[in-house]
Amino acid sequence: MRAFVEVARSGSFTQAAERLFVTQPTVSKLVRQLEEELGQTLLRRAGRHASPTDAGRLVLAHGETLLAQAAQMVTELSELDGLARGELRIGIPPLGGRVFVTMLGEFRRRHAGIELKLFEDGAKAIEAALLAGELELGGLLQPIDTARFDCAPLAADQLVLVAPAWSAWGQRDTVQLAELADEPFILFAPGFALNDRIFDACRSLGFTPDVVGRSGQLGLILAMVRGGIGVALLPRSEVALAGRDALAVCELGDIVIPWEIVLAWPREGYLSHAARAWLAMMRGSGG
């Protein structure tokens, strides 16, 4: 069921295999076994893409509920020992992961018996995993659905243009986003909510960005920019930490694209002792 849910969410057997840490043929076999057991075709295969059939959408809804209940059962069983042992499952976005480092270290010092299980992916995937009960806490990009999530602030910044130092933007401190209409863009991997913010900002100024590359890794995005493949819009603080060698960094003069990371958890979800201890640690440190 978990294999099917991952394929249905991502639309890809390859991505599902990466998230489950198994091979693609293993995922295909597991989904095929589920289809045979239920006597229904659950996925439409079209090359590398897969999408749920009508039966698949029904099974997906029930499957997410079953997985959430199983995760809650494991969490509640671990509660029998309080904070002496157990686990805490946290979703960490690749952009903004640095803000978790200090907290991870502090939590480990306070609660050495709790295993920290980290799920690194874009905000959309983290949101889905939170709602499915696979994660207890996760970093999401504002704005979030406050009807479904509670949250605490983690980091706030805004996007800046990052281009090769030798480009036309190399001598500029400020650019207008509208000036970039003809530039090739490097965006984030699918599942990153920040892609939507960038597309919305560009479209509000009358153009759609020409995407020439995508990555979920900041280092690779910066390497592609240095190589002249395209320009990128990145959080100012993340670029400063990564280093600006051979890069031009320019403020956007005609629009502000905010980047605000919050730690979120489902309003209706069950929070373990470990999750509540994490939140208490954050609040105690002024986070």
Side-chain angles (χ1 to χ4, degrees):
M1 183 64 75
R2 186 174 297 280
F4 164 71
V5 168
E6 288 293 349
V7 175
R9 283 182 186 165
S10 65
S12 166
F13 282 87
T14 300
Q15 289 186 35
E18 291 173 353
R19 290 176 179 172
L20 295 171
F21 301 102
V22 298
T23 64
Q24 183 174 328
T26 298
V27 173
S28 298
K29 180 180 178 180
L30 291 170
V31 172
R32 187 163 56 250
Q33 288 174 340
L34 180 63
E35 290 179 318
E36 291 172 356
E37 183 175 340
L38 297 177
Q40 297 280 350
T41 299
L42 304 179
L43 293 170
R44 297 187 187 88
R45 282 87 163 169
R48 297 183 177 181
H49 184 72
S51 60
T53 61
D54 288 342
R57 283 190 287 272
L58 179 64
V59 173
L60 177 61
H62 286 285
E64 289 181 328
T65 300
L66 289 171
L67 293 175
Q69 290 173 340
Q72 181 167 329
M73 178 189 69
V74 172
T75 297
E76 291 182 13
L77 285 172
S78 71
E79 298 285 80
L80 297 178
D81 287 328
L83 290 170
R85 66 184 178 93
E87 65 181 37
L88 177 58
R89 304 179 307 279
I90 305 178
I92 298 182
L95 278 181
R98 62 180 176 79
V99 303
F100 284 88
V101 173
T102 301
M103 290 185 290
L104 289 169
E106 178 62 24
F107 188 85
R108 178 63 181 167
R109 284 188 290 273
R110 295 187 185 193
H111 309 291
I114 302 297
E115 179 184 359
L116 293 169
K117 292 193 172 181
L118 309 181
F119 174 89
E120 186 179 10
D121 211 325
K124 290 181 179 179
I126 290 174
E127 179 177 321
L130 284 169
L131 293 174
E134 296 166 15
L135 299 174
E136 290 193 82
L137 306 171
L140 297 183
L141 186 68
Q142 286 279 41
I144 66 170
D145 184 350
T146 54
R148 295 194 294 177
F149 294 102
D150 282 320
C151 70
L154 285 176
D157 202 349
Q158 61 189 53
L159 301 192
V160 294
L161 170 69
V162 183
W166 45 261
S167 70
W169 317 112
Q171 304 302 315
R172 300 272 295 274
D173 294 324
T174 303
V175 301
Q176 309 301 310
L177 182 59
E179 294 181 81
L180 306 177
D182 296 325
E183 288 283 347
F185 276 75
I186 300 167
L187 291 188
F188 305 98
F192 278 62
L194 201 50
N195 287 333
D196 297 337
R197 312 290 189 272
I198 292 172
F199 267 93
D200 289 345
C202 292
R203 287 168 177 157
S204 73
L205 295 173
F207 73 98
T208 299
D210 175 21
V211 181
V212 295
R214 292 178 180 269
S215 175
Q217 301 300 320
L218 177 62
L220 181 54
I221 292 176
L222 293 175
M224 288 193 285
V225 172
R226 289 188 179 100
I229 296 172
V231 301
L233 296 175
L234 298 169
R236 178 171 42 201
S237 54
E238 295 291 307
V239 177
L241 286 171
R244 296 173 54 166
D245 296 342
L247 295 172
V249 178
C250 307
E251 302 286 338
L252 299 178
D254 54 349
I255 195 169
V256 173
I257 308 177
W259 179 76
E260 183 178 353
I261 298 292
V262 297
L263 185 70
W265 57 96
R267 279 186 176 273
E268 304 300 325
Y270 173 82
L271 282 179
S272 67
H273 289 319
R276 293 196 295 270
W278 179 286
L279 294 175
M281 179 190 70
M282 280 184 63
R283 289 161 181 155
S285 64

